Amino acid sequence: MARVLMVDPIHPEALADLRGRYQVALHPRPTPDQLLSYARTADALVLRAGVRVTGEVIEAAPRLRAVIRAGVGLDNIDLEAAARAGVEVRNVPGGSSDAVAELALGLMLAVCRRIVVGDRHTRSTVWHKQGLLGTELRGKTLGLIGFGGIGSRIATLAQGFGMDVVVAVARPGEDRARELAARGIRLASLDGLLPAADVVCLSVPLTAGTRNLIGRRELALMRPQAYLVNVSRGGTVDEEALLEALRRGALAGAATDVLAREGAPTALAALDNVVLTPHIGALTREAQRRIGQRVVELLDTALAPLERLRLTA
């Protein structure tokens, strides 16, 4: 049987399915040294966002045929090293789109209506309603940076709340503008979007081009009464610049599901106008079931030639 190394859990149904087909070793969140050791005998590796597959890991795994990212981003995998070694790298881009988009709207509501602070006050028997004056989404402009599967779904949900949507994309053009206009969405440059938006939401992969996409210059273009929401990747926003902008009142608030150093302390946590969640965008029962099913399909495709070879040997 082919050997599948899993360093993050997947849906129980998918895990049971895989264990009926392959030799599965589940080692959640191993240290870098442990990962090197576990990978030596693996034919396939399954992971999410919390583990990095470096070139060293790939070089240490001579049997490795496939790396499957049970999610969207591939920024935690050395793609060049995988290509050199002939290792197939696949992800599951559509499985979590609804879940992440719904979280984005939840974060918008949480920060605009000060829900987290209100919850904290109520639990402490502080009844200070006037200190929790919020902002409605209806009639406001959402500036959406990125328009993949997740961004498209965020736009639909935002329009359902009565928001106007403006989008900035990496490859604009007349065809894209017409496509968006048919959905009642306006295409803009990043510099045009930022001062026009009441809420700016990032939904982009982490690449060399998007690292610190929102920095001091970009934050200075935003309205002082605007909010920033990030459901993409840590590193797309310069967190030090964001902290400075929030402290001096240059932004009304921020909500983020991702941080550059996830699990580490952040000074953003001290601010009442910030909402933080621990990268839970894809963590719904429905999304995890869809992702798990797709992981099984991808592994079957990647490992089928190896299984046929072993059966005929």
Side-chain angles (χ1 to χ4, degrees):
M1 286 181 129
R3 298 177 181 178
V4 177
L5 170 61
M6 308 195 68
V7 295
D8 281 296
I10 61 172
H11 193 275
E13 292 176 7
L15 181 58
D17 200 356
L18 288 177
R19 282 180 165 154
R21 305 173 190 224
Y22 307 109
Q23 185 177 336
V24 177
L26 178 58
H27 297 289
R29 299 298 174 94
T31 66
D33 286 344
Q34 289 173 331
L35 180 58
L36 280 173
S37 176
Y38 298 147
R40 295 185 195 283
T41 59
D43 295 300
L45 171 60
V46 178
L47 74 158
R48 294 203 302 230
V51 174
R52 296 197 64 80
V53 179
T54 63
E56 186 180 9
V57 171
I58 292 171
E59 290 171 7
R63 298 165 53 113
L64 194 64
R65 299 179 67 90
V67 176
I68 308 298
R69 167 71 163 85
V72 180
L74 296 173
D75 48 281
N76 56 328
I77 302 168
D78 188 329
L79 299 178
E80 292 183 2
R84 286 195 301 269
V87 174
E88 181 180 3
V89 178
R90 300 292 300 274
N91 64 349
V92 185
S96 61
S97 295
D98 287 340
V100 178
E102 289 181 12
L103 179 66
L105 266 292
L107 290 174
M108 291 179 205
L109 290 168
V111 70
C112 289
R113 293 303 309 271
R114 308 203 70 195
I115 292 172
V116 175
V117 177
D119 175 81
R120 190 184 308 136
H121 285 186
T122 304
R123 291 172 187 270
S124 302
T125 67
V126 175
W127 206 262
H128 183 47
K129 293 170 62 175
Q130 291 307 311
L132 298 175
L133 185 66
T135 298
E136 296 177 7
L137 295 182
R138 182 175 178 80
K140 302 300 190 299
T141 296
L142 171 64
L144 189 55
I145 303 173
F147 201 72
I150 293 171
S152 176
R153 184 62 180 145
I154 292 172
T156 299
L157 295 177
Q159 288 176 316
F161 272 80
M163 301 185 80
D164 295 321
V165 180
V166 180
V167 169
V169 296
R171 292 179 292 276
E174 292 184 5
D175 289 344
R176 198 69 189 275
R178 284 193 291 270
E179 170 196 339
L180 292 171
R183 295 182 52 178
I185 299 169
R186 182 164 58 89
L187 183 64
S189 67
L190 181 61
D191 284 2
L193 175 151
L194 292 171
D198 299 291
V199 180
V200 172
C201 182
L202 283 87
S203 175
V204 294
L206 179 61
T207 66
T210 61
R211 185 171 293 280
N212 289 332
L213 179 65
I214 302 298
R216 285 179 176 82
R217 187 189 75 84
E218 291 75 23
L219 291 167
L221 293 174
M222 293 177 62
R223 301 175 181 179
Q225 66 271 31
Y227 297 86
L228 180 69
V229 175
N230 191 0
V231 291
S232 55
R233 282 291 182 272
T236 55
V237 173
D238 181 335
E239 292 168 15
E240 183 178 340
L242 175 60
L243 181 65
E244 292 173 3
L246 290 166
R247 281 176 169 169
R248 68 172 187 270
L251 283 183
T256 182
D257 186 43
V258 292
L259 293 167
R261 295 178 60 231
E262 296 187 349
T266 172
L268 291 168
L271 303 182
D272 278 348
N273 59 344
V274 171
V275 176
L276 302 171
T277 50
H279 207 154
I280 58 171
L283 285 182
T284 66
R285 294 178 180 87
E286 298 83 357
Q288 289 305 302
R289 181 176 287 106
R290 288 191 295 268
I291 291 169
Q293 290 169 346
R294 184 59 178 149
V295 167
V296 173
E297 294 169 2
L298 291 172
L299 282 172
D300 284 347
T301 300
L303 297 177
L306 181 60
E307 290 296 289
R308 285 196 297 266
L309 180 62
R310 289 177 178 169
L311 286 171
T312 58

Short mmCIF file of all heavy atoms in Angstrom, two decimals, residues 103-131:
data_model
loop_
_atom_site.label_atom_id
_atom_site.label_comp_id
_atom_site.label_asym_id
_atom_site.label_seq_id
_atom_site.Cartn_x
_atom_site.Cartn_y
_atom_site.Cartn_z
N LEU A 103 -17.37 33.95 6.93
CA LEU A 103 -16.58 34.50 8.03
C LEU A 103 -16.23 35.96 7.75
O LEU A 103 -16.24 36.79 8.67
CB LEU A 103 -15.30 33.69 8.24
CG LEU A 103 -14.41 34.22 9.37
CD1 LEU A 103 -15.08 34.07 10.73
CD2 LEU A 103 -13.05 33.54 9.38
N ALA A 104 -15.89 36.28 6.51
CA ALA A 104 -15.58 37.67 6.17
C ALA A 104 -16.72 38.60 6.54
O ALA A 104 -16.51 39.67 7.13
CB ALA A 104 -15.25 37.79 4.68
N LEU A 105 -17.95 38.21 6.20
CA LEU A 105 -19.10 39.03 6.57
C LEU A 105 -19.28 39.07 8.08
O LEU A 105 -19.63 40.10 8.66
CB LEU A 105 -20.37 38.52 5.89
CG LEU A 105 -20.74 39.17 4.55
CD1 LEU A 105 -21.15 40.63 4.76
CD2 LEU A 105 -19.61 39.09 3.55
N GLY A 106 -19.02 37.92 8.74
CA GLY A 106 -19.11 37.89 10.20
C GLY A 106 -18.11 38.84 10.84
O GLY A 106 -18.44 39.54 11.81
N LEU A 107 -16.89 38.89 10.31
CA LEU A 107 -15.88 39.80 10.85
C LEU A 107 -16.27 41.25 10.61
O LEU A 107 -16.05 42.12 11.46
CB LEU A 107 -14.52 39.50 10.22
CG LEU A 107 -13.86 38.18 10.64
CD1 LEU A 107 -12.60 37.94 9.83
CD2 LEU A 107 -13.53 38.18 12.13
N MET A 108 -16.84 41.53 9.43
CA MET A 108 -17.31 42.90 9.17
C MET A 108 -18.36 43.31 10.20
O MET A 108 -18.30 44.40 10.78
CB MET A 108 -17.91 42.99 7.77
CG MET A 108 -16.91 42.86 6.64
SD MET A 108 -17.73 42.97 5.02
CE MET A 108 -16.58 42.05 4.01
N LEU A 109 -19.32 42.43 10.43
CA LEU A 109 -20.36 42.74 11.40
C LEU A 109 -19.78 42.88 12.81
O LEU A 109 -20.16 43.78 13.57
CB LEU A 109 -21.43 41.64 11.39
CG LEU A 109 -22.32 41.58 10.15
CD1 LEU A 109 -23.12 40.29 10.14
CD2 LEU A 109 -23.25 42.78 10.09
N ALA A 110 -18.85 41.99 13.15
CA ALA A 110 -18.29 42.02 14.50
C ALA A 110 -17.56 43.31 14.79
O ALA A 110 -17.70 43.90 15.87
CB ALA A 110 -17.35 40.82 14.69
N VAL A 111 -16.75 43.78 13.82
CA VAL A 111 -15.97 44.98 14.07
C VAL A 111 -16.81 46.25 13.90
O VAL A 111 -16.64 47.21 14.65
CB VAL A 111 -14.70 45.02 13.19
CG1 VAL A 111 -15.02 45.24 11.72
CG2 VAL A 111 -13.71 46.06 13.70
N CYS A 112 -17.73 46.24 12.94
CA CYS A 112 -18.55 47.44 12.72
C CYS A 112 -19.59 47.64 13.83
O CYS A 112 -19.95 48.78 14.14
CB CYS A 112 -19.25 47.37 11.36
SG CYS A 112 -18.13 47.57 9.96
N ARG A 113 -20.09 46.55 14.40
CA ARG A 113 -21.10 46.65 15.46
C ARG A 113 -20.52 46.42 16.86
O ARG A 113 -21.25 46.35 17.82
CB ARG A 113 -22.23 45.65 15.20
CG ARG A 113 -23.07 45.94 13.98
CD ARG A 113 -23.70 47.34 14.03
NE ARG A 113 -24.41 47.57 15.28
CZ ARG A 113 -25.70 47.27 15.47
NH1 ARG A 113 -26.40 46.71 14.50
NH2 ARG A 113 -26.27 47.53 16.62
N ARG A 114 -19.20 46.28 16.95
CA ARG A 114 -18.49 46.14 18.23
C ARG A 114 -19.06 44.98 19.05
O ARG A 114 -19.22 45.06 20.28
CB ARG A 114 -18.55 47.45 19.02
CG ARG A 114 -18.09 48.66 18.23
CD ARG A 114 -17.64 49.78 19.11
NE ARG A 114 -16.39 49.45 19.79
CZ ARG A 114 -15.90 50.11 20.83
NH1 ARG A 114 -16.58 51.13 21.33
NH2 ARG A 114 -14.77 49.75 21.38
N ILE A 115 -19.33 43.88 18.37
CA ILE A 115 -19.98 42.73 19.01
C ILE A 115 -19.09 42.10 20.06
O ILE A 115 -19.55 41.72 21.15
CB ILE A 115 -20.39 41.70 17.93
CG1 ILE A 115 -21.51 42.26 17.06
CG2 ILE A 115 -20.80 40.38 18.57
CD1 ILE A 115 -21.86 41.41 15.85
N VAL A 116 -17.79 41.97 19.77
CA VAL A 116 -16.90 41.32 20.72
C VAL A 116 -16.76 42.14 22.00
O VAL A 116 -16.79 41.59 23.10
CB VAL A 116 -15.51 41.08 20.07
CG1 VAL A 116 -14.53 40.51 21.07
CG2 VAL A 116 -15.64 40.15 18.87
N VAL A 117 -16.63 43.44 21.86
CA VAL A 117 -16.53 44.30 23.05
C VAL A 117 -17.84 44.26 23.82
O VAL A 117 -17.83 44.20 25.07
CB VAL A 117 -16.19 45.75 22.63
CG1 VAL A 117 -16.16 46.67 23.86
CG2 VAL A 117 -14.84 45.79 21.93
N GLY A 118 -18.96 44.27 23.12
CA GLY A 118 -20.26 44.19 23.79
C GLY A 118 -20.41 42.89 24.56
O GLY A 118 -20.92 42.89 25.70
N ASP A 119 -19.97 41.79 23.98
CA ASP A 119 -20.01 40.51 24.68
C ASP A 119 -19.15 40.54 25.94
O ASP A 119 -19.56 40.10 27.02
CB ASP A 119 -19.52 39.41 23.74
CG ASP A 119 -19.41 38.06 24.42
OD1 ASP A 119 -20.42 37.38 24.57
OD2 ASP A 119 -18.27 37.69 24.80
N ARG A 120 -17.94 41.09 25.80
CA ARG A 120 -17.02 41.18 26.94
C ARG A 120 -17.61 42.03 28.06
O ARG A 120 -17.54 41.67 29.24
CB ARG A 120 -15.68 41.75 26.47
CG ARG A 120 -14.56 41.68 27.49
CD ARG A 120 -13.32 42.36 26.96
NE ARG A 120 -12.96 41.86 25.64
CZ ARG A 120 -12.59 42.62 24.62
NH1 ARG A 120 -12.53 43.94 24.77
NH2 ARG A 120 -12.27 42.07 23.47
N HIS A 121 -18.20 43.18 27.69
CA HIS A 121 -18.80 44.04 28.71
C HIS A 121 -19.96 43.36 29.42
O HIS A 121 -20.09 43.44 30.65
CB HIS A 121 -19.29 45.33 28.05
CG HIS A 121 -18.19 46.28 27.70
ND1 HIS A 121 -18.43 47.55 27.22
CD2 HIS A 121 -16.84 46.16 27.77
CE1 HIS A 121 -17.27 48.16 27.00
NE2 HIS A 121 -16.30 47.33 27.32
N THR A 122 -20.82 42.72 28.64
CA THR A 122 -22.00 42.09 29.23
C THR A 122 -21.61 40.98 30.19
O THR A 122 -22.21 40.81 31.26
CB THR A 122 -22.92 41.53 28.12
OG1 THR A 122 -23.24 42.59 27.21
CG2 THR A 122 -24.20 40.97 28.71
N ARG A 123 -20.60 40.19 29.85
CA ARG A 123 -20.12 39.14 30.74
C ARG A 123 -19.56 39.72 32.03
O ARG A 123 -19.57 39.05 33.07
CB ARG A 123 -19.04 38.31 30.04
CG ARG A 123 -19.55 37.44 28.91
CD ARG A 123 -18.40 36.79 28.14
NE ARG A 123 -18.87 36.09 26.96
CZ ARG A 123 -19.24 34.81 26.94
NH1 ARG A 123 -19.18 34.09 28.05
NH2 ARG A 123 -19.66 34.26 25.81
N SER A 124 -19.08 40.97 31.96
CA SER A 124 -18.51 41.63 33.14
C SER A 124 -19.55 42.52 33.83
O SER A 124 -19.19 43.34 34.68
CB SER A 124 -17.30 42.47 32.75
OG SER A 124 -16.32 41.67 32.14
N THR A 125 -20.82 42.40 33.43
CA THR A 125 -21.95 43.19 33.95
C THR A 125 -21.74 44.69 33.76
O THR A 125 -22.21 45.50 34.56
CB THR A 125 -22.23 42.87 35.44
OG1 THR A 125 -21.12 43.32 36.25
CG2 THR A 125 -22.47 41.39 35.66
N VAL A 126 -21.04 45.06 32.69
CA VAL A 126 -20.91 46.47 32.31
C VAL A 126 -22.00 46.75 31.28
O VAL A 126 -22.03 46.14 30.21
CB VAL A 126 -19.52 46.76 31.72
CG1 VAL A 126 -19.45 48.21 31.22
CG2 VAL A 126 -18.43 46.51 32.76
N TRP A 127 -22.92 47.68 31.59
CA TRP A 127 -24.05 47.97 30.71
C TRP A 127 -23.90 49.41 30.20
O TRP A 127 -24.54 50.33 30.65
CB TRP A 127 -25.35 47.80 31.47
CG TRP A 127 -26.51 47.46 30.57
CD1 TRP A 127 -27.44 48.33 30.07
CD2 TRP A 127 -26.84 46.18 30.06
NE1 TRP A 127 -28.33 47.67 29.28
CE2 TRP A 127 -28.00 46.33 29.26
CE3 TRP A 127 -26.29 44.90 30.19
CZ2 TRP A 127 -28.60 45.28 28.59
CZ3 TRP A 127 -26.90 43.86 29.53
CH2 TRP A 127 -28.03 44.03 28.75
N HIS A 128 -22.99 49.58 29.22
CA HIS A 128 -22.66 50.91 28.72
C HIS A 128 -22.95 50.94 27.23
O HIS A 128 -22.05 50.91 26.39
CB HIS A 128 -21.19 51.23 29.01
CG HIS A 128 -20.78 52.61 28.60
ND1 HIS A 128 -21.52 53.74 28.90
CD2 HIS A 128 -19.71 53.04 27.89
CE1 HIS A 128 -20.91 54.80 28.40
NE2 HIS A 128 -19.82 54.41 27.77
N LYS A 129 -24.24 51.01 26.89
CA LYS A 129 -24.65 50.90 25.50
C LYS A 129 -24.12 52.02 24.62
O LYS A 129 -23.72 51.79 23.47
CB LYS A 129 -26.18 50.86 25.43
CG LYS A 129 -26.78 49.61 26.04
CD LYS A 129 -28.29 49.71 26.18
CE LYS A 129 -28.97 49.87 24.84
NZ LYS A 129 -30.46 49.84 24.98
N GLN A 130 -24.07 53.25 25.12
CA GLN A 130 -23.65 54.36 24.27
C GLN A 130 -22.18 54.26 23.85
O GLN A 130 -21.78 54.82 22.84
CB GLN A 130 -23.89 55.68 25.02
CG GLN A 130 -25.36 56.01 25.19
CD GLN A 130 -26.12 55.97 23.87
OE1 GLN A 130 -25.70 56.55 22.88
NE2 GLN A 130 -27.26 55.25 23.86
N GLY A 131 -21.40 53.50 24.61
CA GLY A 131 -20.01 53.30 24.25
C GLY A 131 -19.83 52.28 23.15
O GLY A 131 -18.70 52.03 22.72
#
